[in-house]
Amino acid sequence: QVQLVESGGGLVQAGGSLRLSCAASGRTDGTYAMGWFRQGPGKEREFVAGISWKGGNTYYPDSVKGRFTISKDNARNTLYLQMNSLKPEDTAVYYCGAINRPRYDYADYKTYEYWGQGTQVTVSS
């Protein structure tokens, strides 16, 4: 019902920046919140950032707080993740997801109803 497509990934030197985008299409009127997760080599899936669709409240784990910024454009049905001061440990496949429930936990992977295919971010040391 909802399709999500990430873009903007690539290879960047440590200390550099990247901006990821997630374009949503289909029946998007039921979206309550959206978020970003990542999975690095040999690591478990990790919550990166979340945002409520109506209020715009944002949530971050300590690992990215102060470096990453999540934002949205409701009119364009697009989610963004601005990543600054990138570190080698940020290397991962980044996924965007959409929540279609009135009650949810941003950090719980199972809360998300829809997912994109992922985009690779590689930070060189």
Side-chain angles (χ1 to χ4, degrees), residues 2-5 22-26 28 31 34 53 76-79 98:
V2 176
Q3 295 80 45
L4 304 175
V5 180
C22 175
S25 60
T28 61
T31 300
M34 295 188 73
W53 206 245
R76 296 179 181 273
N77 286 317
T78 303
L79 181 73

Side-chain angles (χ1 to χ4, degrees), residues 4-48:
L4 304 175
V5 180
E6 301 98 333
S7 62
L11 195 155
V12 65
Q13 189 174 211
S17 300
L18 280 175
R19 190 194 192 199
L20 306 183
S21 298
C22 175
S25 60
R27 192 154 57 87
T28 61
D29 56 338
T31 300
Y32 284 88
M34 295 188 73
W36 292 92
F37 281 74
R38 68 186 182 187
Q39 188 163 21
K43 298 181 179 180
E44 295 185 0
R45 186 166 46 244
E46 177 187 21
F47 170 68
V48 176

